[in-house]
Amino acid sequence: MTALTTVVRRHGVLVLAALLVAAAAVAFWQADVARGRDNVGNHAVVGVAATTEVQSAVSSALVRVFSYDYADPAPTQQAADDLLAGRAREQYDLLFAALEEKAPGQQLVLTAQVQVAAVKELTARSATLLVFLDQASQRATDQESAVSAAQLSVRATRTGDTWKVTGIEPL
Amino acid sequence: MTTGFGHDVEEIEISDEDVTQRPPESPQSSGRRSVELGLLVLAVVALVAGVVSWQRAGDHDEAAVARAALRDTVLITARSHIETMNTLDHDDVDGGLERWQDVTTGTLKDQIAATDAETRQLMADQQMVSTGKVVDAAVLDLTASTATVIASVEVTVRNDADPSAVPSVKRNRFAADLVKVGDRWLLEGLDQVAVEIK
């Protein structure tokens, strides 16, 4: 007879209770794991506050980045520095360089306005949106003005507390 | 001999133990028994609570999961309906309008149903075949029975009167309002999102 069987014979009830408590602990732990699990995946529209937050962050970023005044290009450049990252930043730099070249000669003013922005995919860290953006361009030199209606697939990434636009794809 | 001796000792030990346990329960040992039983009951209660908690934890975000599923259903339905509404073949105007009616409700449906013979003939005579394809779409608003979906739609128009002509391809911005009628989501409104900037 080993010491273990002796313990079991003497304190069988206590041993059983200890096993049950251990099983209960496992169950509570598993419950906690299950509660922490995200069964939704895509939180677009589902998480109302988070959806609204990324909608307005991306909308205001696009408005700032796509509005431009030849007389004062600094705010646009600043907005690009603050609000764009990754591929969107690279693409924008090319676009902006071209703009800088011809804008002063044409006295170009661009005004952007987001008609509607809907969130397609949303996680804690990234989002994809469909954005309808209007842009009006005015050339002071010949009083020429034009409006364009854009459809953009926009990717955004959250770093810390702020959303940055990382991809802008015209559809 | 040594083995036998060891065996003997062990047996003696067991019977010793049996002797100490066998006497009728003293008040002290029956007290210990009830404490042990009490602990056992507590352990069972803890286990039951744990298991119940585990089972209920699985659907902690049941409402969100249901809403996500509804969003996906609405989006798929809206995409299909929007494509239907941007598709019409001059060879089958009646069939096309019937499909339009099938995916709409309310005044929009009434308007389509009210298309008179003259207009139908005009549509047929134009020799155009329009095909709509949703390039991208997203749900903007969603309740249990209403939804708004925006979509970027590519409409290809082929002119059968002029087979050599290259089909025209246009991108349009649409906003669609849907309502749940019975168990189907139907279009209540479908409008182009016009440029509003001055």
Side-chain angles (χ1 to χ4, degrees):
Chain A
M1 283 288 165
T2 64
L4 184 65
T5 49
T6 312
V7 169
V8 169
R9 283 179 62 174
R10 271 201 186 148
H11 307 288
V13 179
L14 279 183
V15 170
L16 184 58
L19 288 175
L20 291 179
V21 167
V26 169
F28 275 114
W29 169 57
Q30 282 300 316
D32 201 49
V33 169
R35 269 194 201 90
R37 199 175 296 135
D38 183 2
N39 295 320
V40 176
N42 178 5
H43 286 266
V45 183
V46 176
V48 175
T51 301
T52 311
E53 190 200 323
V54 71
Q55 257 170 350
S56 56
V58 165
S59 296
S60 87
L62 293 177
V63 165
R64 287 178 60 191
V65 159
F66 285 110
S67 294
Y68 176 84
D69 188 342
Y70 74 97
D72 184 18
T76 308
Q77 188 71 68
Q78 186 61 47
D81 286 342
D82 294 346
L83 306 166
L84 300 183
R87 239 182 90 68
R89 186 65 225 260
E90 291 162 25
Q91 291 168 323
Y92 186 83
D93 282 344
L94 290 175
L95 189 81
F96 196 80
L99 200 61
E100 287 273 71
E101 222 166 78
K102 64 173 186 184
Q106 298 179 342
Q107 302 190 356
L108 190 66
V109 177
L110 301 174
T111 316
Q113 186 180 308
V114 168
Q115 280 289 331
V116 58
V119 185
K120 219 168 48 163
E121 278 159 44
L122 177 63
T123 67
R125 295 260 146 261
S126 75
T128 313
L129 296 89
L130 174 60
V131 180
F132 293 166
L133 180 103
D134 294 349
Q135 195 181 38
S137 62
Q138 279 130 5
R139 289 188 303 207
T141 41
D142 55 3
Q143 297 294 312
E144 194 76 25
S145 71
V147 286
S148 64
Q151 301 156 49
L152 307 171
S153 175
V154 179
R155 290 198 63 81
T157 307
R158 193 189 175 97
T159 33
D161 263 358
T162 54
W163 285 99
K164 284 200 177 190
V165 173
T166 51
I168 302 170
E169 191 200 331
L171 296 170
Chain B
M1 267 317 266
T2 333
T3 329
F5 182 67
H7 188 73
D8 279 348
V9 167
E10 220 171 55
E11 278 213 325
I12 288 160
E13 256 184 22
I14 287 166
S15 56
D16 237 22
E17 196 180 305
D18 282 351
V19 167
T20 51
Q21 281 203 337
R22 203 162 288 164
E25 296 205 334
S26 63
Q28 195 189 347
S29 95
S30 89
R32 207 189 75 185
R33 236 338 79 146
S34 53
V35 167
E36 281 183 350
L37 281 174
L39 286 175
L40 185 64
V41 169
L42 283 179
V44 169
V45 169
L47 182 59
V48 169
V51 168
V52 168
S53 169
W54 187 5
Q55 278 183 338
R56 288 169 60 168
D59 41 63
H60 65 103
D61 50 4
E62 200 177 5
V65 170
R67 192 166 154 82
L70 184 66
R71 174 204 61 209
D72 293 344
T73 306
V74 165
L75 188 58
I76 292 168
T77 310
R79 291 181 73 119
S80 155
H81 287 0
I82 291 168
E83 288 185 349
T84 302
M85 293 295 288
N86 278 286
T87 301
L88 191 70
D89 188 333
H90 66 88
D91 271 340
D92 186 22
V93 171
D94 287 342
L97 291 182
E98 218 162 272
R99 280 188 285 279
W100 288 11
Q101 281 189 63
D102 184 50
V103 299
T104 52
T105 185
T107 31
L108 184 58
K109 184 180 181 137
D110 295 343
Q111 281 167 7
I112 297 163
T115 313
D116 58 22
E118 200 182 329
T119 314
R120 284 170 197 254
Q121 190 56 50
L122 203 70
M123 288 166 129
D125 289 346
Q126 276 175 337
Q127 296 284 298
M128 302 290 190
V129 180
S130 308
T131 312
K133 185 174 154 266
V134 171
V135 180
D136 203 0
V139 176
L140 189 63
D141 285 313
L142 181 68
T143 71
S145 61
T146 64
T148 304
V149 172
I150 62 167
S152 168
V153 183
E154 184 185 87
V155 182
T156 308
V157 181
R158 196 181 75 218
N159 188 349
D160 275 357
D162 182 7
S164 64
V166 180
S168 81
V169 180
K170 265 193 179 172
R171 287 287 164 90
N172 293 323
R173 313 191 298 191
F174 277 104
D177 291 318
L178 293 100
V179 284
K180 198 172 184 188
V181 180
D183 58 353
R184 288 185 73 203
W185 286 87
L186 297 170
L187 289 173
E188 190 183 38
L190 181 64
D191 299 293
Q192 289 220 31
V193 179
V195 177
E196 259 178 35
I197 204 164
K198 55 273 146 209

